[in-house]
PDB file of all heavy atoms in Angstrom:
ATOM      1  N   GLN A  14      -2.600   6.289 -39.514  1.00 94.00           N
ATOM      2  CA  GLN A  14      -2.030   6.635 -40.822  1.00 94.00           C
ATOM      3  C   GLN A  14      -0.896   5.700 -41.131  1.00 94.00           C
ATOM      4  O   GLN A  14      -0.516   5.571 -42.318  1.00 94.00           O
ATOM      5  CB  GLN A  14      -1.501   8.054 -40.804  1.00 94.00           C
ATOM      6  CG  GLN A  14      -2.647   9.129 -40.915  1.00 94.00           C
ATOM      7  CD  GLN A  14      -3.255   9.421 -39.532  1.00 94.00           C
ATOM      8  OE1 GLN A  14      -2.923   8.829 -38.529  1.00 94.00           O
ATOM      9  NE2 GLN A  14      -4.202  10.417 -39.526  1.00 94.00           N
ATOM     10  N   VAL A  15      -0.226   5.102 -40.185  1.00 93.00           N
ATOM     11  CA  VAL A  15       0.995   4.286 -40.406  1.00 93.00           C
ATOM     12  C   VAL A  15       0.928   2.876 -39.973  1.00 93.00           C
ATOM     13  O   VAL A  15       1.717   2.063 -40.371  1.00 93.00           O
ATOM     14  CB  VAL A  15       2.244   5.007 -39.814  1.00 93.00           C
ATOM     15  CG1 VAL A  15       2.523   6.316 -40.484  1.00 93.00           C
ATOM     16  CG2 VAL A  15       2.156   5.125 -38.312  1.00 93.00           C
ATOM     17  N   CYS A  16      -0.043   2.503 -39.098  1.00 95.00           N
ATOM     18  CA  CYS A  16      -0.096   1.152 -38.630  1.00 95.00           C
ATOM     19  C   CYS A  16      -1.544   0.769 -38.164  1.00 95.00           C
ATOM     20  O   CYS A  16      -2.321   1.637 -37.850  1.00 95.00           O
ATOM     21  CB  CYS A  16       0.909   0.874 -37.510  1.00 95.00           C
ATOM     22  SG  CYS A  16       0.973   2.202 -36.218  1.00 95.00           S
ATOM     23  N   GLU A  17      -1.721  -0.513 -38.096  1.00 96.00           N
ATOM     24  CA  GLU A  17      -3.052  -1.045 -37.714  1.00 96.00           C
ATOM     25  C   GLU A  17      -3.086  -1.052 -36.118  1.00 96.00           C
ATOM     26  O   GLU A  17      -2.026  -1.152 -35.504  1.00 96.00           O
ATOM     27  CB  GLU A  17      -3.212  -2.541 -38.144  1.00 96.00           C
ATOM     28  CG  GLU A  17      -3.159  -2.726 -39.638  1.00 96.00           C
ATOM     29  CD  GLU A  17      -3.264  -4.191 -40.002  1.00 96.00           C
ATOM     30  OE1 GLU A  17      -3.700  -4.974 -39.157  1.00 96.00           O
ATOM     31  OE2 GLU A  17      -2.832  -4.525 -41.129  1.00 96.00           O
ATOM     32  N   PRO A  18      -4.269  -0.919 -35.566  1.00 96.00           N
ATOM     33  CA  PRO A  18      -4.352  -1.056 -34.122  1.00 96.00           C
ATOM     34  C   PRO A  18      -4.083  -2.572 -33.734  1.00 96.00           C
ATOM     35  O   PRO A  18      -4.369  -3.437 -34.573  1.00 96.00           O
ATOM     36  CB  PRO A  18      -5.785  -0.703 -33.833  1.00 96.00           C
ATOM     37  CG  PRO A  18      -6.516  -0.950 -35.092  1.00 96.00           C
ATOM     38  CD  PRO A  18      -5.578  -0.672 -36.159  1.00 96.00           C
ATOM     39  N   TYR A  19      -3.541  -2.772 -32.563  1.00 97.00           N
ATOM     40  CA  TYR A  19      -3.278  -4.098 -32.149  1.00 97.00           C
ATOM     41  C   TYR A  19      -4.639  -4.859 -31.844  1.00 97.00           C
ATOM     42  O   TYR A  19      -5.425  -4.453 -30.981  1.00 97.00           O
ATOM     43  CB  TYR A  19      -2.392  -4.200 -30.945  1.00 97.00           C
ATOM     44  CG  TYR A  19      -2.315  -5.609 -30.410  1.00 97.00           C
ATOM     45  CD1 TYR A  19      -1.731  -6.639 -31.081  1.00 97.00           C
ATOM     46  CD2 TYR A  19      -2.959  -5.958 -29.167  1.00 97.00           C
ATOM     47  CE1 TYR A  19      -1.698  -7.917 -30.608  1.00 97.00           C
ATOM     48  CE2 TYR A  19      -2.981  -7.267 -28.682  1.00 97.00           C
ATOM     49  CZ  TYR A  19      -2.302  -8.276 -29.383  1.00 97.00           C
ATOM     50  OH  TYR A  19      -2.325  -9.542 -28.915  1.00 97.00           O
ATOM     51  N   ILE A  20      -4.951  -5.942 -32.560  1.00 97.00           N
ATOM     52  CA  ILE A  20      -6.078  -6.815 -32.289  1.00 97.00           C
ATOM     53  C   ILE A  20      -5.499  -8.269 -32.379  1.00 97.00           C
ATOM     54  O   ILE A  20      -4.926  -8.663 -33.372  1.00 97.00           O
ATOM     55  CB  ILE A  20      -7.206  -6.652 -33.333  1.00 97.00           C
ATOM     56  CG1 ILE A  20      -7.685  -5.207 -33.338  1.00 97.00           C
ATOM     57  CG2 ILE A  20      -8.278  -7.650 -33.132  1.00 97.00           C
ATOM     58  CD1 ILE A  20      -8.624  -4.876 -34.439  1.00 97.00           C
ATOM     59  N   ARG A  21      -5.660  -8.976 -31.261  1.00 97.00           N
ATOM     60  CA  ARG A  21      -5.016 -10.251 -31.173  1.00 97.00           C
ATOM     61  C   ARG A  21      -5.320 -11.210 -32.325  1.00 97.00           C
ATOM     62  O   ARG A  21      -4.473 -11.784 -32.923  1.00 97.00           O
ATOM     63  CB  ARG A  21      -5.425 -10.938 -29.848  1.00 97.00           C
ATOM     64  CG  ARG A  21      -4.914 -12.326 -29.638  1.00 97.00           C
ATOM     65  CD  ARG A  21      -5.366 -12.918 -28.351  1.00 97.00           C
ATOM     66  NE  ARG A  21      -4.991 -14.299 -28.204  1.00 97.00           N
ATOM     67  CZ  ARG A  21      -5.785 -15.363 -28.537  1.00 97.00           C
ATOM     68  NH1 ARG A  21      -7.035 -15.118 -29.040  1.00 97.00           N
ATOM     69  NH2 ARG A  21      -5.390 -16.564 -28.445  1.00 97.00           N
ATOM     70  N   ARG A  22      -6.638 -11.368 -32.580  1.00 97.00           N
ATOM     71  CA  ARG A  22      -6.997 -12.344 -33.664  1.00 97.00           C
ATOM     72  C   ARG A  22      -6.426 -11.888 -35.027  1.00 97.00           C
ATOM     73  O   ARG A  22      -6.112 -12.744 -35.831  1.00 97.00           O
ATOM     74  CB  ARG A  22      -8.513 -12.432 -33.743  1.00 97.00           C
ATOM     75  CG  ARG A  22      -9.145 -13.128 -32.551  1.00 97.00           C
ATOM     76  CD  ARG A  22     -10.655 -13.292 -32.663  1.00 97.00           C
ATOM     77  NE  ARG A  22     -11.254 -13.988 -31.530  1.00 97.00           N
ATOM     78  CZ  ARG A  22     -11.382 -15.307 -31.486  1.00 97.00           C
ATOM     79  NH1 ARG A  22     -10.969 -16.065 -32.482  1.00 97.00           N
ATOM     80  NH2 ARG A  22     -11.943 -15.851 -30.403  1.00 97.00           N
ATOM     81  N   ARG A  23      -6.412 -10.588 -35.223  1.00 97.00           N
ATOM     82  CA  ARG A  23      -5.849 -10.108 -36.546  1.00 97.00           C
ATOM     83  C   ARG A  23      -4.348 -10.434 -36.549  1.00 97.00           C
ATOM     84  O   ARG A  23      -3.841 -10.889 -37.631  1.00 97.00           O
ATOM     85  CB  ARG A  23      -6.073  -8.607 -36.638  1.00 97.00           C
ATOM     86  CG  ARG A  23      -5.527  -8.010 -37.927  1.00 97.00           C
ATOM     87  CD  ARG A  23      -5.814  -6.509 -37.984  1.00 97.00           C
ATOM     88  NE  ARG A  23      -7.235  -6.225 -38.118  1.00 97.00           N
ATOM     89  CZ  ARG A  23      -7.756  -4.970 -38.156  1.00 97.00           C
ATOM     90  NH1 ARG A  23      -6.958  -3.960 -37.971  1.00 97.00           N
ATOM     91  NH2 ARG A  23      -9.012  -4.780 -38.330  1.00 97.00           N
ATOM     92  N   ALA A  24      -3.675 -10.257 -35.462  1.00 98.00           N
ATOM     93  CA  ALA A  24      -2.205 -10.566 -35.460  1.00 98.00           C
ATOM     94  C   ALA A  24      -1.975 -12.008 -35.744  1.00 98.00           C
ATOM     95  O   ALA A  24      -1.061 -12.341 -36.507  1.00 98.00           O
ATOM     96  CB  ALA A  24      -1.661 -10.195 -34.107  1.00 98.00           C
ATOM     97  N   MET A  25      -2.759 -12.892 -35.154  1.00 97.00           N
ATOM     98  CA  MET A  25      -2.619 -14.285 -35.391  1.00 97.00           C
ATOM     99  C   MET A  25      -2.905 -14.724 -36.814  1.00 97.00           C
ATOM    100  O   MET A  25      -2.225 -15.582 -37.437  1.00 97.00           O
ATOM    101  CB  MET A  25      -3.443 -15.104 -34.387  1.00 97.00           C
ATOM    102  CG  MET A  25      -3.040 -14.930 -32.966  1.00 97.00           C
ATOM    103  SD  MET A  25      -4.006 -15.757 -31.737  1.00 97.00           S
ATOM    104  CE  MET A  25      -3.469 -17.461 -31.969  1.00 97.00           C
ATOM    105  N   ARG A  26      -3.869 -14.025 -37.387  1.00 98.00           N
ATOM    106  CA  ARG A  26      -4.227 -14.331 -38.809  1.00 98.00           C
ATOM    107  C   ARG A  26      -3.075 -13.924 -39.714  1.00 98.00           C
ATOM    108  O   ARG A  26      -2.765 -14.627 -40.684  1.00 98.00           O
ATOM    109  CB  ARG A  26      -5.523 -13.629 -39.157  1.00 98.00           C
ATOM    110  CG  ARG A  26      -6.017 -13.924 -40.581  1.00 98.00           C
ATOM    111  CD  ARG A  26      -6.392 -15.409 -40.703  1.00 98.00           C
ATOM    112  NE  ARG A  26      -6.931 -15.664 -42.030  1.00 98.00           N
ATOM    113  CZ  ARG A  26      -6.798 -16.817 -42.694  1.00 98.00           C
ATOM    114  NH1 ARG A  26      -6.140 -17.815 -42.146  1.00 98.00           N
ATOM    115  NH2 ARG A  26      -7.361 -16.995 -43.811  1.00 98.00           N
ATOM    116  N   HIS A  27      -2.503 -12.763 -39.471  1.00 98.00           N
ATOM    117  CA  HIS A  27      -1.348 -12.277 -40.253  1.00 98.00           C
ATOM    118  C   HIS A  27      -0.190 -13.324 -40.199  1.00 98.00           C
ATOM    119  O   HIS A  27       0.405 -13.702 -41.183  1.00 98.00           O
ATOM    120  CB  HIS A  27      -0.859 -10.937 -39.771  1.00 98.00           C
ATOM    121  CG  HIS A  27      -1.730  -9.789 -40.042  1.00 98.00           C
ATOM    122  ND1 HIS A  27      -2.461  -9.685 -41.256  1.00 98.00           N
ATOM    123  CD2 HIS A  27      -2.056  -8.678 -39.355  1.00 98.00           C
ATOM    124  CE1 HIS A  27      -3.168  -8.572 -41.205  1.00 98.00           C
ATOM    125  NE2 HIS A  27      -2.961  -7.919 -40.126  1.00 98.00           N
ATOM    126  N   LEU A  28       0.009 -13.883 -38.993  1.00 98.00           N
ATOM    127  CA  LEU A  28       1.121 -14.841 -38.813  1.00 98.00           C
ATOM    128  C   LEU A  28       0.798 -16.095 -39.597  1.00 98.00           C
ATOM    129  O   LEU A  28       1.708 -16.658 -40.296  1.00 98.00           O
ATOM    130  CB  LEU A  28       1.304 -15.203 -37.353  1.00 98.00           C
ATOM    131  CG  LEU A  28       1.919 -14.087 -36.469  1.00 98.00           C
ATOM    132  CD1 LEU A  28       1.776 -14.430 -34.996  1.00 98.00           C
ATOM    133  CD2 LEU A  28       3.366 -13.824 -36.806  1.00 98.00           C
ATOM    134  N   GLU A  29      -0.454 -16.563 -39.603  1.00 97.00           N
ATOM    135  CA  GLU A  29      -0.852 -17.766 -40.316  1.00 97.00           C
ATOM    136  C   GLU A  29      -0.668 -17.566 -41.787  1.00 97.00           C
ATOM    137  O   GLU A  29      -0.388 -18.573 -42.540  1.00 97.00           O
ATOM    138  CB  GLU A  29      -2.316 -18.115 -39.986  1.00 97.00           C
ATOM    139  CG  GLU A  29      -2.480 -18.606 -38.509  1.00 97.00           C
ATOM    140  CD  GLU A  29      -3.906 -18.584 -38.080  1.00 97.00           C
ATOM    141  OE1 GLU A  29      -4.778 -18.170 -38.877  1.00 97.00           O
ATOM    142  OE2 GLU A  29      -4.194 -18.980 -36.917  1.00 97.00           O
ATOM    143  N   LYS A  30      -0.760 -16.355 -42.305  1.00 97.00           N
ATOM    144  CA  LYS A  30      -0.631 -16.092 -43.709  1.00 97.00           C
ATOM    145  C   LYS A  30       0.815 -15.861 -44.109  1.00 97.00           C
ATOM    146  O   LYS A  30       1.185 -15.507 -45.265  1.00 97.00           O
ATOM    147  CB  LYS A  30      -1.467 -14.895 -44.078  1.00 97.00           C
ATOM    148  CG  LYS A  30      -2.962 -15.174 -44.075  1.00 97.00           C
ATOM    149  CD  LYS A  30      -3.723 -13.935 -44.603  1.00 97.00           C
ATOM    150  CE  LYS A  30      -5.198 -14.309 -44.778  1.00 97.00           C
ATOM    151  NZ  LYS A  30      -5.973 -13.088 -45.327  1.00 97.00           N
ATOM    152  N   GLY A  31       1.786 -16.005 -43.135  1.00 97.00           N
ATOM    153  CA  GLY A  31       3.143 -15.877 -43.467  1.00 97.00           C
ATOM    154  C   GLY A  31       3.701 -14.458 -43.408  1.00 97.00           C
ATOM    155  O   GLY A  31       4.840 -14.263 -43.859  1.00 97.00           O
ATOM    156  N   ARG A  32       2.969 -13.518 -42.887  1.00 98.00           N
ATOM    157  CA  ARG A  32       3.447 -12.187 -42.785  1.00 98.00           C
ATOM    158  C   ARG A  32       4.259 -11.956 -41.461  1.00 98.00           C
ATOM    159  O   ARG A  32       3.925 -12.551 -40.432  1.00 98.00           O
ATOM    160  CB  ARG A  32       2.268 -11.195 -42.752  1.00 98.00           C
ATOM    161  CG  ARG A  32       1.443 -11.261 -44.028  1.00 98.00           C
ATOM    162  CD  ARG A  32       0.054 -10.617 -43.821  1.00 98.00           C
ATOM    163  NE  ARG A  32      -0.723 -10.780 -45.032  1.00 98.00           N
ATOM    164  CZ  ARG A  32      -2.086 -10.629 -45.068  1.00 98.00           C
ATOM    165  NH1 ARG A  32      -2.748 -10.454 -43.921  1.00 98.00           N
ATOM    166  NH2 ARG A  32      -2.717 -10.744 -46.150  1.00 98.00           N
ATOM    167  N   VAL A  33       5.322 -11.179 -41.533  1.00 98.00           N
ATOM    168  CA  VAL A  33       6.031 -10.810 -40.363  1.00 98.00           C
ATOM    169  C   VAL A  33       5.208  -9.744 -39.636  1.00 98.00           C
ATOM    170  O   VAL A  33       4.847  -8.692 -40.217  1.00 98.00           O
ATOM    171  CB  VAL A  33       7.372 -10.224 -40.688  1.00 98.00           C
ATOM    172  CG1 VAL A  33       8.165  -9.800 -39.382  1.00 98.00           C
ATOM    173  CG2 VAL A  33       8.251 -11.253 -41.466  1.00 98.00           C
ATOM    174  N   VAL A  34       4.916  -9.990 -38.360  1.00 98.00           N
ATOM    175  CA  VAL A  34       4.118  -9.100 -37.571  1.00 98.00           C
ATOM    176  C   VAL A  34       5.012  -8.272 -36.639  1.00 98.00           C
ATOM    177  O   VAL A  34       5.728  -8.873 -35.849  1.00 98.00           O
ATOM    178  CB  VAL A  34       2.994  -9.834 -36.808  1.00 98.00           C
ATOM    179  CG1 VAL A  34       2.277  -8.833 -35.836  1.00 98.00           C
ATOM    180  CG2 VAL A  34       2.011 -10.490 -37.733  1.00 98.00           C
ATOM    181  N   ILE A  35       5.013  -6.975 -36.756  1.00 98.00           N
ATOM    182  CA  ILE A  35       5.751  -6.142 -35.876  1.00 98.00           C
ATOM    183  C   ILE A  35       4.827  -5.398 -34.873  1.00 98.00           C
ATOM    184  O   ILE A  35       3.897  -4.774 -35.282  1.00 98.00           O
ATOM    185  CB  ILE A  35       6.576  -5.066 -36.643  1.00 98.00           C
ATOM    186  CG1 ILE A  35       7.407  -5.738 -37.749  1.00 98.00           C
ATOM    187  CG2 ILE A  35       7.460  -4.258 -35.753  1.00 98.00           C
ATOM    188  CD1 ILE A  35       7.952  -4.757 -38.778  1.00 98.00           C
ATOM    189  N   PHE A  36       5.171  -5.591 -33.577  1.00 98.00           N
ATOM    190  CA  PHE A  36       4.315  -4.951 -32.564  1.00 98.00           C
ATOM    191  C   PHE A  36       4.993  -3.640 -32.100  1.00 98.00           C
ATOM    192  O   PHE A  36       6.088  -3.713 -31.519  1.00 98.00           O
ATOM    193  CB  PHE A  36       4.108  -5.909 -31.388  1.00 98.00           C
ATOM    194  CG  PHE A  36       3.323  -7.168 -31.694  1.00 98.00           C
ATOM    195  CD1 PHE A  36       3.931  -8.384 -31.529  1.00 98.00           C
ATOM    196  CD2 PHE A  36       2.020  -7.035 -32.143  1.00 98.00           C
ATOM    197  CE1 PHE A  36       3.241  -9.511 -31.838  1.00 98.00           C
ATOM    198  CE2 PHE A  36       1.331  -8.175 -32.429  1.00 98.00           C
ATOM    199  CZ  PHE A  36       1.929  -9.445 -32.239  1.00 98.00           C
ATOM    200  N   GLY A  37       4.400  -2.505 -32.425  1.00 97.00           N
ATOM    201  CA  GLY A  37       4.949  -1.251 -32.036  1.00 97.00           C
ATOM    202  C   GLY A  37       4.274  -0.625 -30.778  1.00 97.00           C
ATOM    203  O   GLY A  37       3.177  -1.111 -30.423  1.00 97.00           O
ATOM    204  N   ALA A  38       4.891   0.339 -30.242  1.00 97.00           N
ATOM    205  CA  ALA A  38       4.319   1.100 -29.067  1.00 97.00           C
ATOM    206  C   ALA A  38       4.172   0.329 -27.796  1.00 97.00           C
ATOM    207  O   ALA A  38       3.328   0.606 -26.931  1.00 97.00           O
ATOM    208  CB  ALA A  38       2.991   1.762 -29.516  1.00 97.00           C
ATOM    209  N   GLY A  39       5.000  -0.720 -27.611  1.00 95.00           N
ATOM    210  CA  GLY A  39       4.981  -1.524 -26.397  1.00 95.00           C
ATOM    211  C   GLY A  39       3.637  -2.074 -26.071  1.00 95.00           C
ATOM    212  O   GLY A  39       2.906  -2.554 -26.992  1.00 95.00           O
ATOM    213  N   THR A  40       3.236  -1.993 -24.798  1.00 96.00           N
ATOM    214  CA  THR A  40       1.914  -2.541 -24.407  1.00 96.00           C
ATOM    215  C   THR A  40       0.829  -1.446 -24.653  1.00 96.00           C
ATOM    216  O   THR A  40      -0.392  -1.699 -24.479  1.00 96.00           O
ATOM    217  CB  THR A  40       1.836  -2.933 -22.961  1.00 96.00           C
ATOM    218  OG1 THR A  40       2.034  -1.758 -22.143  1.00 96.00           O
ATOM    219  CG2 THR A  40       2.950  -3.925 -22.642  1.00 96.00           C
ATOM    220  N   GLY A  41       1.295  -0.216 -24.992  1.00 96.00           N
ATOM    221  CA  GLY A  41       0.331   0.911 -25.095  1.00 96.00           C
ATOM    222  C   GLY A  41       0.082   1.566 -23.746  1.00 96.00           C
ATOM    223  O   GLY A  41      -0.744   2.482 -23.654  1.00 96.00           O
ATOM    224  N   ASN A  42       0.781   1.117 -22.705  1.00 96.00           N
ATOM    225  CA  ASN A  42       0.594   1.730 -21.410  1.00 96.00           C
ATOM    226  C   ASN A  42       1.889   2.156 -20.807  1.00 96.00           C
ATOM    227  O   ASN A  42       2.926   1.506 -20.996  1.00 96.00           O
ATOM    228  CB  ASN A  42      -0.032   0.660 -20.416  1.00 96.00           C
ATOM    229  CG  ASN A  42      -1.363   0.155 -20.896  1.00 96.00           C
ATOM    230  OD1 ASN A  42      -2.365   0.830 -20.868  1.00 96.00           O
ATOM    231  ND2 ASN A  42      -1.384  -1.115 -21.429  1.00 96.00           N
ATOM    232  N   PRO A  43       1.897   3.269 -20.049  1.00 94.00           N
ATOM    233  CA  PRO A  43       3.082   3.689 -19.378  1.00 94.00           C
ATOM    234  C   PRO A  43       3.540   2.703 -18.276  1.00 94.00           C
ATOM    235  O   PRO A  43       2.741   1.880 -17.846  1.00 94.00           O
ATOM    236  CB  PRO A  43       2.731   5.083 -18.810  1.00 94.00           C
ATOM    237  CG  PRO A  43       1.276   5.082 -18.662  1.00 94.00           C
ATOM    238  CD  PRO A  43       0.741   4.222 -19.799  1.00 94.00           C
ATOM    239  N   TYR A  44       4.755   2.836 -17.854  1.00 92.00           N
ATOM    240  CA  TYR A  44       5.364   2.007 -16.809  1.00 92.00           C
ATOM    241  C   TYR A  44       5.654   0.559 -17.178  1.00 92.00           C
ATOM    242  O   TYR A  44       6.022  -0.258 -16.329  1.00 92.00           O
ATOM    243  CB  TYR A  44       4.492   2.049 -15.464  1.00 92.00           C
ATOM    244  CG  TYR A  44       4.415   3.424 -14.852  1.00 92.00           C
ATOM    245  CD1 TYR A  44       3.355   4.254 -15.098  1.00 92.00           C
ATOM    246  CD2 TYR A  44       5.519   3.939 -14.108  1.00 92.00           C
ATOM    247  CE1 TYR A  44       3.249   5.528 -14.554  1.00 92.00           C
ATOM    248  CE2 TYR A  44       5.449   5.216 -13.566  1.00 92.00           C
ATOM    249  CZ  TYR A  44       4.384   6.019 -13.765  1.00 92.00           C
ATOM    250  OH  TYR A  44       4.300   7.257 -13.270  1.00 92.00           O
ATOM    251  N   PHE A  45       5.472   0.210 -18.442  1.00 94.00           N
ATOM    252  CA  PHE A  45       5.776  -1.138 -18.925  1.00 94.00           C
ATOM    253  C   PHE A  45       6.852  -1.029 -19.952  1.00 94.00           C
ATOM    254  O   PHE A  45       6.708  -0.199 -20.928  1.00 94.00           O
ATOM    255  CB  PHE A  45       4.523  -1.823 -19.469  1.00 94.00           C
ATOM    256  CG  PHE A  45       3.528  -2.187 -18.408  1.00 94.00           C
ATOM    257  CD1 PHE A  45       2.505  -1.345 -18.094  1.00 94.00           C
ATOM    258  CD2 PHE A  45       3.550  -3.423 -17.759  1.00 94.00           C
ATOM    259  CE1 PHE A  45       1.508  -1.691 -17.139  1.00 94.00           C
ATOM    260  CE2 PHE A  45       2.660  -3.796 -16.799  1.00 94.00           C
ATOM    261  CZ  PHE A  45       1.668  -2.925 -16.475  1.00 94.00           C
ATOM    262  N   THR A  46       7.869  -1.914 -19.863  1.00 93.00           N
ATOM    263  CA  THR A  46       8.945  -1.892 -20.865  1.00 93.00           C
ATOM    264  C   THR A  46       8.619  -2.690 -22.133  1.00 93.00           C
ATOM    265  O   THR A  46       7.611  -3.398 -22.173  1.00 93.00           O
ATOM    266  CB  THR A  46      10.211  -2.525 -20.222  1.00 93.00           C
ATOM    267  OG1 THR A  46       9.904  -3.922 -19.976  1.00 93.00           O
ATOM    268  CG2 THR A  46      10.562  -1.863 -18.906  1.00 93.00           C
ATOM    269  N   THR A  47       9.482  -2.589 -23.104  1.00 95.00           N
ATOM    270  CA  THR A  47       9.232  -3.414 -24.289  1.00 95.00           C
ATOM    271  C   THR A  47       9.562  -4.873 -24.046  1.00 95.00           C
ATOM    272  O   THR A  47       9.084  -5.723 -24.738  1.00 95.00           O
ATOM    273  CB  THR A  47      10.097  -2.853 -25.474  1.00 95.00           C
ATOM    274  OG1 THR A  47      11.420  -2.645 -25.073  1.00 95.00           O
ATOM    275  CG2 THR A  47       9.539  -1.578 -26.010  1.00 95.00           C
ATOM    276  N   ASP A  48      10.305  -5.179 -23.017  1.00 96.00           N
ATOM    277  CA  ASP A  48      10.483  -6.527 -22.603  1.00 96.00           C
ATOM    278  C   ASP A  48       9.151  -7.104 -22.185  1.00 96.00           C
ATOM    279  O   ASP A  48       8.719  -8.196 -22.494  1.00 96.00           O
ATOM    280  CB  ASP A  48      11.428  -6.678 -21.412  1.00 96.00           C
ATOM    281  CG  ASP A  48      12.885  -6.798 -21.878  1.00 96.00           C
ATOM    282  OD1 ASP A  48      13.167  -6.846 -23.082  1.00 96.00           O
ATOM    283  OD2 ASP A  48      13.782  -6.802 -21.041  1.00 96.00           O
ATOM    284  N   SER A  49       8.407  -6.329 -21.367  1.00 97.00           N
ATOM    285  CA  SER A  49       7.035  -6.739 -20.926  1.00 97.00           C
ATOM    286  C   SER A  49       6.117  -6.894 -22.096  1.00 97.00           C
ATOM    287  O   SER A  49       5.292  -7.838 -22.167  1.00 97.00           O
ATOM    288  CB  SER A  49       6.535  -5.702 -19.945  1.00 97.00           C
ATOM    289  OG  SER A  49       7.259  -5.767 -18.685  1.00 97.00           O
ATOM    290  N   ALA A  50       6.242  -6.005 -23.070  1.00 97.00           N
ATOM    291  CA  ALA A  50       5.426  -6.018 -24.225  1.00 97.00           C
ATOM    292  C   ALA A  50       5.713  -7.351 -25.057  1.00 97.00           C
ATOM    293  O   ALA A  50       4.819  -7.990 -25.508  1.00 97.00           O
ATOM    294  CB  ALA A  50       5.656  -4.831 -25.172  1.00 97.00           C
ATOM    295  N   ALA A  51       7.013  -7.696 -25.125  1.00 98.00           N
ATOM    296  CA  ALA A  51       7.370  -8.936 -25.850  1.00 98.00           C
ATOM    297  C   ALA A  51       6.766 -10.178 -25.185  1.00 98.00           C
ATOM    298  O   ALA A  51       6.198 -11.011 -25.822  1.00 98.00           O
ATOM    299  CB  ALA A  51       8.897  -9.024 -25.905  1.00 98.00           C
ATOM    300  N   SER A  52       6.885 -10.230 -23.849  1.00 98.00           N
ATOM    301  CA  SER A  52       6.369 -11.360 -23.112  1.00 98.00           C
ATOM    302  C   SER A  52       4.837 -11.431 -23.284  1.00 98.00           C
ATOM    303  O   SER A  52       4.282 -12.501 -23.580  1.00 98.00           O
ATOM    304  CB  SER A  52       6.716 -11.272 -21.602  1.00 98.00           C
ATOM    305  OG  SER A  52       8.102 -11.322 -21.461  1.00 98.00           O
ATOM    306  N   LEU A  53       4.161 -10.266 -23.098  1.00 98.00           N
ATOM    307  CA  LEU A  53       2.720 -10.243 -23.169  1.00 98.00           C
ATOM    308  C   LEU A  53       2.208 -10.636 -24.593  1.00 98.00           C
ATOM    309  O   LEU A  53       1.359 -11.487 -24.716  1.00 98.00           O
ATOM    310  CB  LEU A  53       2.187  -8.863 -22.837  1.00 98.00           C
ATOM    311  CG  LEU A  53       0.697  -8.603 -22.930  1.00 98.00           C
ATOM    312  CD1 LEU A  53      -0.041  -9.458 -21.967  1.00 98.00           C
ATOM    313  CD2 LEU A  53       0.388  -7.147 -22.704  1.00 98.00           C
ATOM    314  N   ARG A  54       2.793 -10.078 -25.584  1.00 98.00           N
ATOM    315  CA  ARG A  54       2.398 -10.406 -27.018  1.00 98.00           C
ATOM    316  C   ARG A  54       2.670 -11.800 -27.292  1.00 98.00           C
ATOM    317  O   ARG A  54       1.898 -12.510 -27.973  1.00 98.00           O
ATOM    318  CB  ARG A  54       3.081  -9.450 -28.007  1.00 98.00           C
ATOM    319  CG  ARG A  54       2.717  -7.960 -27.865  1.00 98.00           C
ATOM    320  CD  ARG A  54       1.232  -7.667 -28.148  1.00 98.00           C
ATOM    321  NE  ARG A  54       0.958  -6.277 -28.078  1.00 98.00           N
ATOM    322  CZ  ARG A  54       0.060  -5.715 -27.266  1.00 98.00           C
ATOM    323  NH1 ARG A  54      -0.618  -6.475 -26.448  1.00 98.00           N
ATOM    324  NH2 ARG A  54      -0.132  -4.388 -27.315  1.00 98.00           N
ATOM    325  N   ALA A  55       3.773 -12.328 -26.828  1.00 98.00           N
ATOM    326  CA  ALA A  55       4.153 -13.761 -27.135  1.00 98.00           C
ATOM    327  C   ALA A  55       3.116 -14.692 -26.532  1.00 98.00           C
ATOM    328  O   ALA A  55       2.703 -15.675 -27.196  1.00 98.00           O
ATOM    329  CB  ALA A  55       5.549 -14.052 -26.557  1.00 98.00           C
TER     330      ALA A  55
END
């Protein structure tokens, strides 16, 4: 209802089109910090 599911190719396409992409909900897995999410998504 409020956000798209994370799909790598979709995220990259949004970036190529000049959109700011915000990654929410960390990695989607417990025991991982948002620092880990930042490194993984990067």
Side-chain angles (χ1 to χ4, degrees):
Q14 286 83 354
V15 296
C16 45
E17 300 176 21
Y19 170 69
I20 299 172
R21 174 180 175 267
R22 289 181 181 272
R23 182 179 290 177
M25 295 178 74
R26 185 62 177 150
H27 288 323
L28 289 168
E29 290 164 0
K30 289 187 174 182
R32 298 163 182 159
V33 179
V34 175
I35 307 168
F36 296 118
T40 66
N42 301 288
Y44 296 100
F45 289 91
T46 67
T47 49
D48 274 356
S49 294
S52 297
L53 177 62
R54 297 293 184 241

